[in-house]
Amino acid sequence: MDTQEHVELHDLYGNRGSEWHEPVSEEEICERLKRAHEEGRKVAIESGGTKRGYGGARGEYDWTLSLKKYKGIVEHNAGDMTITVKPGTTIAELQRFLQEYGQQVSLDPHWPEQATIGGVISANESGPKRLAYGSARDLVIGLRIVYPDGRIIRTGGKVVKNVAGYDMNKLFIGAMGTLGVISEITMKLRPAPKYESLALVSVPEGEEEKLRLLAVEIQDAMIEPVTLEILTPALAEKLTGTRAFTLLVGYEDVECSVKEQEGWMIHHKPENAVLEILHEEEARKFWERFAVTVPNTHTKEKDLCAVLKAGTKNMDVFTMMTTALDLGISHLVDIEAHGGLGHGISEYVVRGQQDNIIAVIEGLRAAAEQKGGYIVIKQLPFHLRKKVDVWGRNPGHFSLMEGIKKAVDPYGVCNLQRYIGGI
Amino acid sequence: MKRKKQNKVDPHIRSLTKIVGESEILYKPEDLISYDCDGFTVHKALPKAVVFPKNTEEVAALVQYCHMNHLPFLARGAGTGLSGGAIPLNEEIIISLVKMKQLLCVDYENRQAVVQPGYVNLKLTNSISDKGYYYAPDPSSQYVCTIGGNVAENAGGAHCLKYGVTTNHILGLEVVLPHGEVIEIGGEGAPDSPGYDLMGLLTGSEGTLGIVTKITVRILKSPQGKKTVLAYFDDVEEGSRAVSDIIAAGIVPAALEMMDKTAIEGVEAGTFPVGHPPDIEAFLLIEVDGIMAGLEEQIEQILEVCESWNVREVKVAKSEEERSRWWANRKTGFGAMGAISPDYLVQDGVIPRSRLPEVLKEIEKISRESGLRIANIFHAGDGNLHPLILFDSRVPGETEKALQAGTACLKACADVGGSITGEHGVGIEKKEEMRFIFTEEEIEAQLDIRDVFNPYDLLNQGKLFPKPSRCMDVKKIVKDTVAVQS
Ligand SMILES: Cc1cc2nc3c(=O)[nH]c(=O)nc-3n(C[C@H](O)[C@H](O)[C@H](O)COP(=O)(O)OP(=O)(O)OC[C@H]3O[C@@H](n4cnc5c(N)ncnc54)[C@H](O)[C@@H]3O)c2cc1C
Ligand SMILES: Cc1cc2nc3c(=O)[nH]c(=O)nc-3n(C[C@H](O)[C@H](O)[C@H](O)COP(=O)(O)OP(=O)(O)OC[C@H]3O[C@@H](n4cnc5c(N)ncnc54)[C@H](O)[C@@H]3O)c2cc1C
């Protein structure tokens, strides 16, 4: 990254350190944090920074600790289907390494070429396939954490089943780096699918309810899709060329099973719907394009842009999506969105004028909360993060989270104020 | 007269009675005996009282009372725990959740169900199976154990190889914290709710961080097809190599279980014999499930792998009835040991799957050296061993030997990079063995988290963590007591 771009990014998204450090060993990470702890420094942690616009009420930290150079595979036990990696390894590097063994880490977050495993786990990123394979909390079996005072604490272990002591792994997954630096990650692997395909079902405007019903029917049938991701018309147009609500039904299994499920789909295609099925390489290419459609902090955008994540009950994703489009129309902003009808996570890219974007965020948040869900803002320039709450209201048990932060990081060394309620 | 009698009752008992009502409290010694231990019967102690709250408010009121009066307390489900988690070490008030046993709601469209903690695991599957749904975690004790107890222990089961353990199926919890406050985690089941993953932390915390009073779980659609294979081997090592090769072939079996010769002798003498050949060294019970069309191919591959490891005989279940018999034979395996030994002790180590052959040899050595027979019934697919150490507590010194052999088995697991427990929990049984896998600092880090929830350590005191000063005492207590009565 050239220096100019670097500075601009910092100014736009905050979460920057005045000094930049790139440790290449765990000892260096320990030393750096120990010093911060002793000298009362505030440290911003990143693995590469695709999520620099994600949370954070501080513009400035004393240091940035970047882990992008602390990367590589530490240990791969092909027979045990486990792998241990350093945090700066990108998702793409990891998958390419495993490909040779016919294995994979079953995580499909955005921007695999740039997003690192450390960042993905810390921000708890997932993709459409979490429907079948779960998210980081289901895959991580062990971590090495450099605590904010420089101690090394291991959590979990290297075996796939383990209930010894508290399940401390869970604390650090999605903690946004506020509880220390993850210096090593052990995950369980899955065999790469023997065959895959992707059915794209789109319906004319006004008939999107048919896709909801189809999704219900699919889930109630004995078929096993790996995705049930719905795309709004604007996002579908970017990916398929057709401006229509589209349901992405993915299959991964042995070939005859995939074919059988495609047959089911052909048989159950709603009236007036268009069905296209992509196989193998075509399906993989589609998912590659899908993974880079939502902007990250490095993407150059003409307009002001916010990225939101919503969590609701599974089928409420559908209502969230239509609510978002209505809000887009009434507040004159462009919205592209996708969400998993079987897993409850949806994502919204909102482009337009500052005040309109904020109004949409608030409207969508109200809709989510009414359904017992939430909205978090995954990306927003720093000056706007002061106007609208990134994480939404604190849960009733927030004091426990504060307590955990205090117990692990009493001096607020790591990513202070990055997370919910300013922890 | 009556009045006088009442006056003798401990004032705490009177106050607790006010909260739950006369009929929902036990405090007379003779009534307390069945609460002196759980499935880990090596250690026994009486509680001060057992109370049976009917709702969350009563649980909260009980907890508040205990907190204000510095009375130690703990939660109890069905009491099937195998590591002593529900044993009252400090004259606890036992808060039994068995009367909170309702299925509160099932939401098929969103694939979730809400249950009270005392709801029995298997009942959930039974209540939703007519619609083609089920609850995946299936501990062998599922016909009695409670979902609250499953959450506390992060229980596993035979089918967790493909579908994950309890923690992978919990969407929301209502919890009474140790000072009596009621909190909701995970809302109405929305995933990834912002903030630290307290749901993940609480699951598997063995009832030391709070009392779970409501649980939202994920339910799954039953697979379209299931195929089950029984493969007999003349050599344990060849059987274990087949396990690794099945996984390496890119198959994700729903279950992959193994039993050795001694275990087979037990189950054949037990309630559900299926006629395994008596001279066989080991068998694998393998199940694949999913889209019917794809299963045949996987079964063929599995058979090929077994052939390549000189399997003596393989059978594919011909009917659901046959399949059920094989599973009943497996799931009642622990209890069946009672047919061939007066007492047994179950261990629960985990190892990387590829180390199976060497660890099984090590266990054989431990058996030889201790002079005690050890049967192995285990979840081979995820490397979760259950050595069952057979002994006779009437023979002086044998209980002690059995406990030592158990510890040695766990050491063998830890030494190959494994864990001391895969599903039964640490409880009081494996507190000291925590040191096999964690440093003093790491244990301290976990205690720091406990203090956030449970600062006065009134809830389930003395479990899960070794206490430096007390470690010798604990070993001695265990040494002096009687072991598992089967
Ligand atoms: C236009 C563009 C240009 C780019 N140019 C370059 C370039 O010139 N050079 C280059 O190398 N890359 C470049 N990249 C790639 C990019 O900088 C990183 O590879 C990518 O941002 C990785 O970030 P991340 O997703 O891992 O998450 P991050 O944003 O790093 O982290 C997400 C969250 O997790 C926390 N976190 C991250 N890691 C840890 C950890 N180990 N322990 C605890 N908490 C942690 C963070 O504090 C943060 O809260 C570019 C990308 C784009 C789009
Ligand atoms: C024959 C047999 C086979 C078994 N097979 C398996 C198996 O395959 N897999 C497996 O994982 N386990 C197995 N177990 C162990 C045991 O059944 C599980 O650990 C089960 O989850 C315990 O549930 P319970 O209701 O009996 O809990 P209890 O034994 O009553 O309690 C266990 C622990 O949970 C705590 N607790 C209970 N309820 C709550 C609550 N509501 N809130 C907070 N804490 C609570 C208790 O304080 C205690 O520490 C087996 C046990 C037996 C006897």
Side-chain angles (χ1 to χ4, degrees):
Chain A
M1 202 184 307
D2 68 61
T3 337
Q4 187 54 39
E5 190 192 348
H6 205 106
V7 170
E8 278 172 23
L9 265 181
H10 271 166
D11 287 346
L12 188 53
Y13 288 109
N15 292 320
R16 67 170 156 183
S18 329
E19 265 178 49
W20 183 264
H21 297 278
E22 290 186 336
V24 293
S25 69
E26 193 179 60
E27 296 77 64
E28 278 182 60
I29 302 171
C30 294
E31 280 309 311
R32 185 54 56 192
L33 289 188
K34 205 183 255 165
R35 246 186 83 185
H37 184 80
E38 284 160 9
E39 296 174 10
R41 307 274 186 175
K42 305 292 175 218
V43 183
I45 301 159
E46 64 178 48
S47 279
T50 45
K51 297 166 202 86
R52 201 172 285 147
Y54 194 172
R58 280 175 93 97
E60 290 256 359
Y61 289 81
D62 295 319
W63 301 332
T64 287
L65 194 64
S66 164
L67 297 155
K68 74 164 75 165
K69 293 202 175 139
Y70 190 56
K71 58 155 73 181
I73 314 289
V74 180
E75 191 181 359
H76 172 224
N77 292 316
D80 297 322
M81 297 204 112
T82 57
I83 194 163
T84 302
V85 292
K86 295 180 199 166
T89 318
T90 66
I91 299 292
E93 286 165 346
L94 193 53
Q95 305 292 27
R96 276 195 291 269
F97 171 85
L98 289 168
Q99 210 170 13
E100 270 187 50
Y101 300 86
Q103 299 180 345
Q104 65 179 24
V105 168
S106 293
L107 270 178
D108 56 338
H110 296 318
W111 301 96
E113 296 287 345
Q114 294 144 19
T116 62
I117 189 69
V120 165
I121 297 222
S122 299
N124 193 16
E125 285 284 281
S126 61
K129 292 180 187 172
R130 84 180 262 162
L131 172 65
Y133 304 127
S135 59
R137 74 196 292 285
D138 304 304
L139 305 178
V140 171
I141 55 174
L143 296 171
R144 273 173 85 92
I145 310 289
V146 182
Y147 258 42
D149 60 2
R151 265 181 296 166
I152 292 173
I153 299 294
R154 294 163 311 150
T155 64
K158 300 218 159 164
V159 284
V160 297
K161 205 167 163 196
N162 190 355
V163 296
Y166 293 147
D167 189 354
M168 297 279 282
N169 290 330
K170 299 288 190 292
L171 273 188
F172 300 91
I173 297 169
M176 292 301 290
T178 55
L179 298 177
V181 172
I182 299 174
S183 63
E184 227 175 77
I185 301 138
T186 304
M187 287 169 290
K188 53 178 170 189
L189 304 172
R190 285 185 66 93
K194 295 192 168 148
Y195 191 82
E196 69 180 289
S197 76
L198 173 62
L200 299 95
V201 195
S202 54
V203 290
E205 208 188 319
E207 297 186 25
E208 50 271 18
E209 174 66 11
K210 284 184 181 163
L211 291 183
R212 195 187 79 83
L213 293 173
L214 177 65
V216 171
E217 200 180 350
I218 290 175
Q219 291 190 87
D220 202 42
M222 282 168 168
I223 58 173
E224 302 179 351
V226 296
T227 68
L228 268 181
E229 199 78 4
I230 189 157
L231 309 178
T232 57
L235 186 59
E237 186 171 22
K238 273 195 178 164
L239 289 164
T240 68
T242 307
R243 201 177 172 87
F245 265 105
T246 304
L247 186 65
L248 307 177
V249 190
Y251 306 107
E252 297 186 353
D253 204 337
V254 293
E255 187 172 345
C256 59
S257 152
V258 169
K259 294 284 182 207
E260 169 108 356
Q261 298 183 78
E262 288 173 6
W264 187 96
M265 197 68 223
I266 292 165
H267 193 71
H268 290 81
K269 176 177 84 72
E271 209 182 322
N272 296 333
V274 177
L275 168 66
E276 186 190 2
I277 300 181
L278 307 177
H279 292 100
E280 292 283 86
E281 196 52 26
E282 283 178 326
R284 284 190 284 273
K285 283 269 169 325
F286 181 93
W287 288 122
E288 276 169 24
R289 281 189 294 124
F290 176 87
V292 298
T293 44
V294 171
N296 69 28
T297 44
H298 301 291
T299 318
K300 290 232 163 41
E301 288 278 330
K302 275 205 313 290
D303 301 308
L304 185 59
C305 158
V307 182
L308 318 177
K309 167 181 176 178
T312 57
K313 282 190 198 175
N314 298 350
M315 292 309 293
D316 286 339
V317 164
F318 187 84
T319 332
M320 287 295 292
M321 209 117 299
T322 50
T323 307
L325 294 196
D326 292 345
L327 284 167
I329 293 166
S330 52
H331 291 98
L332 306 168
V333 296
D334 289 326
I335 296 188
E336 293 167 2
H338 66 94
L341 292 178
H343 63 62
I345 299 290
S346 50
E347 196 173 44
Y348 308 79
V349 184
V350 189
R351 294 185 179 88
Q353 300 285 325
Q354 169 175 324
D355 293 344
N356 295 342
I357 290 183
I358 291 180
V360 167
I361 295 176
E362 281 162 359
L364 207 53
R365 177 165 280 158
E369 287 178 356
Q370 205 208 342
K371 294 180 178 306
Y374 63 87
I375 293 277
V376 299
I377 305 173
K378 281 179 70 169
Q379 184 170 317
L380 194 68
F382 181 57
H383 69 281
L384 289 182
R385 293 207 304 271
K386 288 188 237 163
K387 298 198 168 161
V388 46
D389 197 338
V390 169
W391 303 101
R393 58 170 177 227
N394 291 348
H397 50 280
F398 178 67
S399 60
L400 290 171
M401 297 187 187
E402 253 180 327
I404 290 169
K405 171 74 176 175
K406 275 209 197 95
V408 177
D409 186 12
Y411 300 110
V413 171
C414 291
N415 273 2
L416 189 64
Q417 292 180 307
R418 182 80 188 251
Y419 205 15
I420 187 166
I423 51 178
Chain B
M1 277 257 301
K2 212 171 179 191
R3 218 191 144 78
K4 222 179 203 172
K5 215 175 187 180
Q6 247 180 13
N7 278 347
K8 269 201 242 156
V9 173
D10 178 328
H12 289 313
I13 299 292
R14 262 185 286 146
S15 306
L16 294 169
T17 307
K18 270 195 201 127
I19 298 173
V20 289
E22 293 275 353
S23 58
E24 308 300 334
I25 183 164
L26 303 175
Y27 54 87
K28 295 188 191 123
E30 64 270 28
D31 293 336
L32 296 176
I33 292 200
S34 27
Y35 296 89
D36 68 353
C37 71
D38 54 13
F40 179 65
T41 53
V42 170
H43 192 94
K44 290 184 174 160
L46 288 185
K48 185 181 185 71
V50 185
V51 285
F52 301 90
K54 291 173 290 301
N55 52 46
T56 304
E57 293 68 43
E58 287 185 3
V59 176
L62 290 165
V63 170
Q64 265 161 25
Y65 185 85
C66 291
H67 173 72
M68 308 258 280
N69 294 282
H70 308 286
L71 295 175
F73 61 103
L74 61 81
R76 181 179 170 112
T80 66
L82 290 170
S83 52
I87 298 177
L89 293 173
N90 317 282
E91 267 193 69
E92 270 87 352
I93 307 294
I94 293 187
I95 301 182
S96 165
L97 283 313
V98 293
K99 300 229 165 139
M100 290 173 66
K101 54 172 180 188
Q102 308 227 343
L103 171 59
L104 297 174
C105 93
V106 184
D107 175 352
Y108 292 103
E109 210 173 89
N110 290 303
R111 292 194 171 199
Q112 46 176 265
V114 184
V115 300
Q116 288 189 316
Y119 193 61
V120 168
N121 174 302
L122 187 62
K123 279 199 175 163
L124 180 52
T125 293
N126 287 345
S127 319
I128 57 180
S129 60
D130 59 330
K131 291 240 165 58
Y133 288 82
Y134 75 112
Y135 175 59
D138 64 336
S140 301
S141 51
Q142 69 184 137
Y143 55 95
V144 273
C145 67
T146 66
I147 296 187
N150 295 164
V151 170
E153 299 288 358
N154 191 12
H159 290 80
C160 293
L161 176 58
K162 180 169 176 183
Y163 294 101
V165 293
T166 301
T167 193
N168 309 109
H169 298 270
I170 303 300
L171 296 169
L173 294 176
E174 179 188 80
V175 181
V176 177
L177 295 175
H179 59 281
E181 184 190 342
V182 182
I183 63 166
E184 289 249 12
I185 307 173
E188 292 172 36
D192 299 357
S193 54
Y196 302 137
D197 182 2
L198 302 188
M199 199 152 61
L201 182 71
L202 273 149
T203 307
S205 61
E206 302 193 17
T208 63
L209 300 181
I211 298 184
V212 175
T213 47
K214 196 165 80 183
I215 306 143
T216 306
V217 301
R218 191 195 308 280
I219 54 174
L220 300 181
K221 188 77 190 174
S222 308
Q224 191 187 47
K226 287 180 188 167
K227 280 201 184 285
T228 313
V229 175
L230 202 48
Y232 294 113
F233 290 87
D234 288 311
D235 183 281
V236 177
E237 174 153 356
E238 287 178 337
S240 6
R241 302 248 175 241
V243 170
S244 289
D245 280 5
I246 289 168
I247 307 279
I251 297 169
V252 186
L256 212 182
E257 303 282 302
M258 189 161 174
M259 257 193 231
D260 72 0
K261 188 171 185 149
T262 312
I264 293 170
E265 187 191 326
V267 292
E268 286 304 293
T271 331
F272 296 97
V274 293
H276 299 304
D279 60 335
I280 211 75
E281 287 298 322
F283 76 70
L284 294 180
L285 180 61
I286 311 157
E287 188 159 279
V288 289
D289 67 13
I291 303 296
M292 196 78 92
L295 296 183
E296 206 51 55
E297 190 176 324
Q298 296 183 42
I299 288 290
E300 268 165 39
Q301 263 180 308
I302 288 171
L303 297 188
E304 253 168 56
V305 170
C306 291
E307 296 293 345
S308 75
W309 287 108
N310 307 317
V311 68
R312 186 201 290 185
E313 188 193 346
V314 273
K315 300 197 268 191
V316 182
K318 286 190 222 52
S319 62
E320 178 55 33
E321 191 270 331
E322 185 169 31
R323 175 184 169 269
S324 303
R325 276 197 295 122
W326 293 356
W327 274 114
N329 176 271
R330 160 62 187 91
K331 288 204 173 182
T332 53
F334 293 179
M337 293 309 125
I340 58 165
S341 170
D343 303 285
Y344 66 93
L345 191 76
V346 189
Q347 268 308 352
D348 180 39
V350 195
I351 54 167
R353 198 187 285 125
S354 58
R355 312 295 286 269
L356 263 177
E358 69 190 273
V359 175
L360 287 177
K361 273 195 196 125
E362 186 60 31
I363 292 177
E364 204 185 304
K365 196 169 135 217
I366 294 166
S367 165
R368 261 200 323 275
E369 284 170 4
S370 64
L372 299 174
R373 294 215 291 163
I374 301 184
N376 286 291
I377 300 187
F378 58 101
H379 311 303
D382 38 32
N384 188 183
L385 304 180
H386 290 315
L388 293 138
I389 300 150
L390 311 185
F391 67 102
D392 186 345
S393 59
R394 294 162 305 187
V395 177
E398 233 178 76
T399 305
E400 186 189 322
K401 259 197 221 158
L403 286 163
Q404 279 165 357
T407 301
C409 289
L410 295 185
K411 185 80 173 57
C413 294
D415 286 348
V416 297
S419 172
I420 56 165
T421 173
E423 51 183 28
H424 297 168
V426 175
I428 52 179
E429 186 198 20
K430 307 181 201 70
K431 286 197 295 189
E432 288 313 310
E433 286 77 1
M434 283 282 276
R435 292 208 168 87
F436 290 169
I437 53 174
F438 291 118
T439 63
E440 216 53 57
E441 252 182 353
E442 287 161 350
I443 290 168
E444 208 45 57
Q446 299 193 23
L447 284 167
D448 287 345
I449 299 300
R450 185 188 69 187
D451 290 347
V452 173
F453 289 77
N454 185 9
Y456 305 105
D457 196 15
L458 286 174
L459 174 59
N460 218 1
Q461 204 179 87
K463 309 288 166 68
L464 204 53
F465 300 106
K467 278 203 180 138
S469 54
R470 284 210 295 172
C471 86
M472 289 326 287
D473 298 348
V474 170
K475 278 283 138 178
K476 190 167 179 313
I477 290 165
V478 170
K479 216 171 79 176
D480 292 347
T481 42
V482 200
V484 181
Q485 306 293 327
S486 44

